[in-house]
Amino acid sequence: MTTTSPPPADPADTDPLTSTDHRAFAFLDHVNSGLRQCLCTLARHGVALRRDAPERARILLDTVRPWPLYKGGQFLFDLMEWEDLMVDGDPPPLMSTERMVAACTLPVQLMAAAATGEVPTVAKLVPGQRTTAALDLPLRLLAVTARSTLLGAAQDITDLLGPSAAPDDGDGHATGPEPVTDEPATELPPLEAGFYLYEDIVLGALSVLGPLLADHAPADPVPSDPLTTPVPTPDGP
């Protein structure tokens, strides 16, 4: 008596995931790939800056190290294990400067608006009079603090990045970053994993986004602190 084996099961019949699950994972994988490409590209820009202009790289890092944004970035970089993401596998292709600047333009514009006080009122963000009244004062205090911090940070970055920023258009605004090309003269060095990886990402971000940040710098100097500035006394008897 001969027996026939059953036909192999269709993988689609045994897969517990739905087509929506697979499409969602495909999107998340695309996000991870884009993040890896961006981080690796910024790090390679940072390696180039540290190699070609070590004194400028040192001053840039010394300036941003005390800032909470830098320290928070270091914490997230370690917590999310982005180094493993960056060095796992073959190096990704370079991401163009235009693409990175375009992705960061809106966040920089929002920060610039917050620094100048041009932020939406809490009444437009939170419905309900009681909630609005409770949050209005704290949010206004946060806006004032953010404005002072961002004005100072923007001025510091502008001073440091000024020599390498894009040409001026005559009105005090940068005309935009120089595009990345594939010419050998602009070929970036390979990624260097290790102790300097986060610093290289920061240096690369300052190098690539420098013209964008400088373009949103305040036109007027940072106002002095009235608590530390002596008040001149008029001459008299």
Side-chain angles (χ1 to χ4, degrees), residues 95-229:
M95 181 176 288
S96 69
T97 295
E98 291 85 351
R99 181 177 172 186
M100 289 187 289
V101 171
C104 295
T105 296
L106 180 58
V108 171
Q109 289 175 343
L110 292 175
M111 288 190 295
T116 57
E118 299 175 0
V119 293
T121 62
V122 68
K124 296 180 180 179
L125 299 177
V126 182
Q129 296 180 355
R130 295 181 179 85
T131 306
T132 298
L135 294 178
D136 186 58
L137 179 58
L139 287 182
R140 281 191 285 124
L141 291 176
L142 286 175
V144 172
T145 302
R147 178 186 179 192
S148 176
T149 302
L150 291 174
L151 284 175
Q155 191 64 56
D156 287 340
I157 288 295
T158 303
D159 293 341
L160 291 171
L161 298 177
S164 63
D168 196 282
D169 63 1
D171 295 327
H173 298 285
T175 57
E178 293 294 331
V180 172
T181 64
D182 295 329
E183 298 177 2
T186 60
E187 184 177 356
L188 295 175
L191 183 71
E192 294 184 2
F195 180 75
Y196 296 103
L197 187 56
Y198 175 69
E199 293 184 351
D200 287 337
I201 293 174
V202 172
L203 288 174
L206 293 174
S207 176
V208 172
L209 303 178
L212 176 64
L213 299 177
D215 194 40
H216 289 81
D220 299 328
V222 179
S224 58
D225 187 350
L227 298 179
T228 59
T229 304

Side-chain angles (χ1 to χ4, degrees), residues 1-197:
M1 180 177 180
T2 60
T3 58
T4 57
S5 58
D10 187 352
D13 296 335
T14 60
D15 188 357
L17 299 181
T18 67
S19 60
T20 301
D21 294 332
H22 287 290
R23 292 174 62 187
F25 283 137
F27 168 75
L28 294 176
D29 181 67
H30 178 70
V31 172
N32 277 337
S33 299
L35 174 63
R36 180 171 184 259
Q37 184 182 10
C38 180
L39 290 174
C40 290
T41 301
L42 290 177
R44 293 176 65 178
H45 277 282
V47 173
L49 181 59
R50 183 159 50 86
R51 178 198 63 188
D52 300 335
E55 183 64 15
R56 180 178 173 229
R58 182 189 65 80
I59 295 175
L60 287 172
L61 288 175
D62 288 345
T63 300
V64 301
R65 276 195 186 104
W67 295 353
L69 188 61
Y70 176 90
K71 297 177 182 179
Q74 176 75 77
F75 175 76
L76 292 177
F77 183 81
D78 296 335
L79 180 66
M80 297 183 176
E81 299 182 350
W82 278 354
E83 180 176 2
D84 295 343
L85 172 69
M86 295 172 63
V87 301
D88 184 21
D90 297 330
L94 291 174
M95 181 176 288
S96 69
T97 295
E98 291 85 351
R99 181 177 172 186
M100 289 187 289
V101 171
C104 295
T105 296
L106 180 58
V108 171
Q109 289 175 343
L110 292 175
M111 288 190 295
T116 57
E118 299 175 0
V119 293
T121 62
V122 68
K124 296 180 180 179
L125 299 177
V126 182
Q129 296 180 355
R130 295 181 179 85
T131 306
T132 298
L135 294 178
D136 186 58
L137 179 58
L139 287 182
R140 281 191 285 124
L141 291 176
L142 286 175
V144 172
T145 302
R147 178 186 179 192
S148 176
T149 302
L150 291 174
L151 284 175
Q155 191 64 56
D156 287 340
I157 288 295
T158 303
D159 293 341
L160 291 171
L161 298 177
S164 63
D168 196 282
D169 63 1
D171 295 327
H173 298 285
T175 57
E178 293 294 331
V180 172
T181 64
D182 295 329
E183 298 177 2
T186 60
E187 184 177 356
L188 295 175
L191 183 71
E192 294 184 2
F195 180 75
Y196 296 103
L197 187 56

